[in-house]
Amino acid sequence: MNPMWMFATWLALTVALGCQQHVRPDGPDLLPSVLLQPSNAEALSAVLRGETALRLNDVPAAVVAFKEAVLLDRRSGHVALRLAHALRLAGSVDEALEACSEASVRGAPRWQVQLERAEILITAGRWPEAASVLSAPVADAPDSYYDTWHTRALAAPDAQAQLAAAERWSTAHDRNPAAWEALGMARLATGALASAVQAFDRAADLPSGSARAAELSASTLLQLNRHDEALQRLALCTRRYREHIPCYTLRVQVAARADDDPALDDAVDGLARMTTANLRVFQNTIAQLERQTSPGTVVRYLRRAVALRPLNLRIAETAAWTANRLGDTDAAILIFEHVISVDQDHVEALNFVGYTWADRNTNLRDAERYIRRALELSPEAPGIMDSLAWVLHRRGRHRAALDVQLDAVSRAPTNAVLLDHLGDIHHALRQYSEAFEAWSRALLHATERDEDVLQRVPPKLEALERSGFIRESTVTR
């Protein structure tokens, strides 16, 4: 590996991480970037991928990248700390604590390890343990260690002492938003939620305030069931800190919980405007909303995203498949119909809409037209052949459907869905032995992914056996 290339890459990472310290939305960055020096190019490449993933809000990908870096560079304690940080964001508390221990063994500065360990414990709600970690003496800590809000608020041995320390700090440095955040957290620890909101609001409203303080204020208001005030605070946050995605996401959660449709529409619009320029950010936002809100709220976000980016077909495709997976087939059809209006030769959209209409036994003429166009574009695709056979079957043209379906099955002889449909077509033609054989083969090849087939086919076979049309099966089930 070219040494100059390694140096240039390390320098680029150092600059990037140095800039990142000033914009992180999830609290102070505990790792001075100048100290992050993996000892080989492969480890450095993995770290770069991890940092890029964090900037894209793709925490799972960041975890994978930093784990790879830790394995590639078995000496760097700072790389292990970045892994701990990513694991904390992923909610993997035990693994994050293990990564901190590994960083300590590798020689990372104790004050850095203690700060990250405390952050992990705070994230898990284990305040007493965090206080114990931060109250331990540290010989090599720089001044910045003692200026950090969680150190001031938690270094004391009990909640009242923490509160007193935070009050002293906020009094001495009343223009320092970190001091007011510390006071808010200390008040939370003593159960004084209303006064914690006041401290967080003070931190957020200072000229040098942070979006994190506004987020903490809104989260606390939510605990107090003061939804309207939480929405107001988050609206202010999104106007002032336009790139702080967590405030937009939390605003959607609060509006959905308050059952306030106008506020939810406004919140969804703001979130969609912030997160649809980049496909990966869009996908990660979907995943976060799925964890924190209802399927209906997610679909509302998906539809707004498509409306805002009408020509971005990758956004639309992702939105349609997500809506379908969440059980809102109507929304998926609408989005795919929009895709077809932009690209009349979009095979997936044509096939999905056509097949879904056929399955619902509606719009059968248009369904056949869509599917035939998709098959013209992908003439060898057995799934699209199956769609055509199904719409022909629905339209009562069973003989034509059988010819098409036999061709599809010949190309995918172990596809349980295709075999199930073949059995239905045979049954419609009163070819009961052939129907029994096709359904039996469908069960034989069905996997866990074919849940619908596993539910549909056994009753069909039992009914056929009871009918007396089948005396013995030519296929062992």
Side-chain angles (χ1 to χ4, degrees), residues 441-454:
R441 289 171 59 196
L443 272 189
L444 184 67
H445 294 297
T447 66
E448 292 180 356
R449 294 180 298 177
D450 301 311
E451 183 178 350
D452 290 345
V453 173
L454 292 171

Side-chain angles (χ1 to χ4, degrees), residues 419-420 422-423 426 433-443 475:
L419 289 165
D420 178 24
L422 178 61
H426 277 306
S433 296
E434 290 85 350
F436 191 93
E437 179 181 356
W439 285 333
S440 297
R441 289 171 59 196
L443 272 189
V475 178

